[in-house]
Amino acid sequence: MTEAEHANESAKNHKPELPKDVRVRFCPSPTGTPHVGMIRTALFNWAEARATGGKLVFRIEDTDAQRDSEESYNQILESLRWLGIDWDEGIDVGGPHGPYRQSERTDIYKDVAAKLLAAGYAYESFSTPEEIEARNVAAGRPKAFGYDGYDRDLTEEQKAAFRAEGRKPALRIRMPDEDIAFDDLIRGTIEFKAGSVPDYVIVRPNGDPLYTLTNPVDDAMMDINVVLRGEDLLSSTPRQIVLYRYLIELGIAKQTPLFGHMPYVMGQGNKKLSKRDPESNLFNHRDAGFIREGLLNYLALLGWSIAPDRDVFSMDEMIAKFDVRDVKANPARFDLDKAISINAEHVRMLDPADFLRRSVPYLKRDGVVSADSWDALTEREQEILTAAAPLVQTRVRLLGEVAGMVGSLLSTAEYIEPDDGAKKQLKDSAPAVLDLAIAALEGVSEGDWKTDNLHETLNKALVEEGGYKPRLAFGPVRVAMSGRRVSPPLFESMEIVGREVSLARLKGLRTHL
């Protein structure tokens, strides 16, 4: 690479310094269930604010009456609170720049639109989509080429004639005939050639303001100086930069913010992860039993890393290291198996009492305990779960797996129907093994029904004297106790369940073979 080429490449990769007092924002539209892409955006904005000692503003962009819903709005709040992503200004917190729902800011947008029109930065456009397409075809351009600037210089007489036909104008921003470049915090220098971005609509003919107006106006009035958002919005950035110039001229904006466009989150088959993909649905992951620490840790890896060859970290560690300029521009792939693996690490790091407290709602949902909070459980349930915690916590990856592991311990059933996986584990020797096990264990008293003694007794009867390999020896006993191929440690489980029920289960399985 020549010196000139190197200088050019360095210019392309230039990433600007952050402002002294960072103000970022998270501004979702309430149009469906929160998805991992949305939460990744919230997480990176939150991390940047916390890492720099800046402020995070949370507002809602709810001007699309047909698509927005109060249910979605409440789900967004629920998701942020569950994950522990807090904000400094905005919804339910307040601040000097409210209101923080766009549906309550209509008069502000009307006022700004009128000022843009009066200053000549915006103009009235009467062209219909059909007319724009017809003009493109007539000029030899593709039908979907886009708006051609036809209404830029309409005379007052022409405007009056359109109004006489009953037409109402949209408002369009007048784009300058020049290249537009900016230094992206993630991607370096990005340039849009003159004429590549047509004049765009900011207000519909019915008077409704569009995102192209409301979003930059809110950012300007809320003094947002760093905008971190998805790569899918990159094409709208030159429009916003031009609008900021006009807003600065009008005294509405103090500055043009810095932009950072985060990489796409990809799903299966090299396709962008869609809102409709089950893997995208945040609440699906919560229902499966992800804990906030594990899910946030994994989402942080979708474009960023704390250090080479290190995937597991806390949010405090992330805040200490995070700089949005370190985010990679390449698409990030959502790998559910890796997400579950990272969650398992965080589950193991929980204090046992915290692990149990968080597990109880899942246990109630799955029908294995009597209440959905720890304090409301029976004394017996609390005793069994406390004893089971060290056996189970290291063996589950998701809280949704806990019920399968402790259900047999909490149950007083004297026979548990084996699941399909457990049935396959039962070999022809199972009846004889169970007969030996029952005979040996009936000689163990209630007082001696302890983990080590049970292990020693069964090992002697089945392995040493019976001649069975451990897998064949203990497999049928495990299936009898839990009905599952995978369960908590066998002998500890037998101690927790107790002598009477343990023997009954062994005999129950024996009679069904």
Side-chain angles (χ1 to χ4, degrees):
M1 184 180 289
T2 67
E3 188 173 332
E5 288 173 330
H6 181 76
N8 187 46
E9 190 65 25
S10 297
K12 285 182 181 178
N13 293 325
H14 176 67
K15 296 179 181 180
E17 292 298 313
L18 292 167
K20 183 179 179 182
D21 299 311
V22 167
R23 284 180 63 84
V24 292
R25 78 324 193 247
F26 175 55
C27 51
S29 297
T31 56
T33 304
H35 55 89
V36 297
M38 172 195 292
I39 298 301
R40 196 271 306 262
T41 297
L43 172 61
F44 281 16
N45 275 282
W46 174 81
E48 190 63 40
R50 298 294 170 260
T52 60
K55 302 293 184 184
L56 173 60
V57 179
F58 171 38
R59 66 174 190 258
I60 291 288
E61 302 198 337
D62 60 346
T63 53
D64 190 338
Q66 292 185 327
R67 298 177 63 224
D68 297 336
S69 75
E70 200 67 13
E71 179 186 13
S72 177
Y73 167 74
N74 289 323
Q75 287 178 337
I76 293 170
L77 289 176
E78 180 185 349
S79 66
L80 296 178
R81 286 169 178 154
W82 171 56
L83 292 168
I85 296 177
D86 59 350
W87 54 97
D88 306 291
E89 185 181 317
I91 300 295
D92 286 355
V93 172
H97 306 295
Y100 293 95
R101 293 185 70 160
Q102 284 187 345
S103 57
E104 300 171 5
R105 296 172 64 84
T106 304
D107 289 343
I108 294 172
Y109 307 133
K110 286 181 178 178
D111 179 62
V112 173
K115 289 177 179 176
L116 289 166
L117 181 62
Y121 299 135
Y123 63 89
E124 294 179 323
S125 173
F126 293 86
S127 293
T128 65
E130 295 76 18
E131 288 171 337
I132 295 169
E133 288 181 355
R135 289 198 299 265
N136 285 334
V137 171
R141 298 187 293 264
K143 180 193 290 189
F145 183 77
Y147 178 66
D148 57 357
Y150 177 86
D151 303 271
R152 269 188 161 218
D153 300 308
L154 292 177
T155 65
E156 291 304 318
E157 291 76 11
Q158 288 172 310
K159 294 177 187 177
F162 282 129
R163 284 194 171 87
E165 295 176 13
R167 297 199 193 193
K168 293 183 178 179
L171 291 189
R172 290 184 183 272
I173 286 293
R174 194 182 297 272
M175 291 293 288
D177 185 22
E178 62 186 55
D179 295 348
I180 299 168
F182 68 99
D183 293 326
D184 191 281
L185 289 163
I186 295 170
R187 297 162 192 277
T189 301
I190 298 176
E191 186 172 332
F192 292 83
K193 293 298 182 182
S196 64
V197 182
D199 296 349
Y200 63 95
V201 176
I202 57 171
V203 179
R204 289 192 177 101
N206 67 0
D208 289 345
L210 292 173
Y211 167 87
T212 49
L213 176 68
T214 59
N215 179 271
V217 166
D218 286 348
D219 283 347
M221 291 189 156
M222 296 176 188
D223 200 20
I224 302 301
N225 52 26
V226 176
V227 171
L228 307 180
R229 57 189 192 168
E231 181 181 353
D232 53 318
L233 295 170
L234 179 57
S235 62
S236 72
T237 307
R239 301 175 180 181
Q240 297 203 352
I241 288 172
V242 168
L243 182 52
Y244 277 113
R245 292 179 190 171
Y246 300 157
L247 295 176
I248 291 170
E249 289 292 327
L250 293 171
I252 295 169
K254 295 179 182 177
Q255 75 269 312
T256 299
L258 299 174
F259 289 88
H261 291 89
M262 294 175 283
Y264 284 121
V265 178
M266 309 299 285
Q268 299 297 323
N270 283 330
K271 293 195 306 184
K272 184 185 173 189
L273 191 65
S274 165
K275 289 183 181 181
R276 291 170 289 281
D277 291 336
E279 292 177 3
S280 180
N281 186 319
L282 181 79
F283 291 147
N284 283 351
H285 299 305
R286 185 179 66 176
D287 292 345
F290 273 88
I291 62 174
R292 64 175 66 93
E293 294 90 341
L295 188 55
L296 287 174
N297 182 164
Y298 182 68
L299 294 180
L301 295 172
L302 297 178
W304 181 79
S305 63
I306 193 167
D309 303 320
R310 184 181 172 201
D311 286 339
V312 179
F313 48 85
S314 70
M315 288 300 97
D316 285 344
E317 290 174 309
M318 179 185 183
I319 288 169
K321 294 284 189 178
F322 190 79
D323 185 329
V324 70
R325 292 169 294 184
D326 295 331
V327 172
K328 304 294 186 291
N330 297 331
R333 184 172 306 283
F334 188 89
D335 182 338
L336 184 58
D337 289 338
K338 183 173 181 180
I340 291 173
S341 176
I342 285 174
N343 193 73
E345 294 289 338
H346 283 278
V347 168
R348 286 191 276 273
M349 288 190 282
L350 292 176
D351 178 82
D354 190 23
F355 166 71
L356 289 175
R357 179 182 61 78
R358 298 198 203 193
S359 297
V360 170
Y362 294 89
L363 299 178
K364 178 65 169 68
R365 179 195 69 183
D366 295 338
V368 298
V369 295
S370 61
D372 62 3
S373 69
W374 176 260
D375 291 340
L377 296 180
T378 66
E379 186 176 340
R380 175 182 174 274
E381 288 170 333
Q382 290 183 350
E383 287 177 357
I384 290 175
L385 288 174
T386 299
L391 314 180
V392 172
Q393 187 172 353
T394 58
R395 288 170 170 80
V396 297
R397 305 168 303 163
L398 302 161
L399 296 185
E401 297 172 348
V402 177
M405 297 289 276
V406 303
S408 62
L409 304 179
L410 290 158
S411 172
T412 57
E414 297 188 348
Y415 171 67
I416 296 177
E417 176 72 25
D419 62 26
D420 291 341
K423 287 177 181 176
K424 291 177 182 177
Q425 193 181 32
L426 295 172
K427 307 302 180 185
D428 293 340
S429 59
V433 167
L434 289 170
D435 286 337
L436 287 174
I438 292 166
L441 291 172
E442 283 186 326
V444 179
S445 68
E446 189 76 52
D448 290 334
W449 198 266
K450 303 297 181 184
T451 296
D452 291 343
N453 190 43
L454 293 170
H455 186 185
E456 182 180 337
T457 299
L458 285 178
N459 190 66
K460 180 180 180 182
L462 301 178
V463 179
E464 295 176 8
E465 297 177 358
Y468 293 101
K469 293 181 178 179
R471 182 172 60 84
L472 292 176
F474 302 128
V477 181
R478 182 183 302 280
V479 172
M481 290 301 302
S482 67
R484 291 162 51 96
R485 186 176 62 83
V486 178
S487 68
L490 174 59
F491 308 108
E492 289 86 343
S493 297
M494 294 176 71
E495 179 179 342
I496 291 171
V497 170
R499 183 178 187 277
E500 180 181 348
V501 174
S502 295
L503 282 168
R505 287 183 184 175
L506 293 173
K507 294 173 181 177
L509 179 60
R510 176 64 184 89
T511 61
H512 283 81
L513 295 180

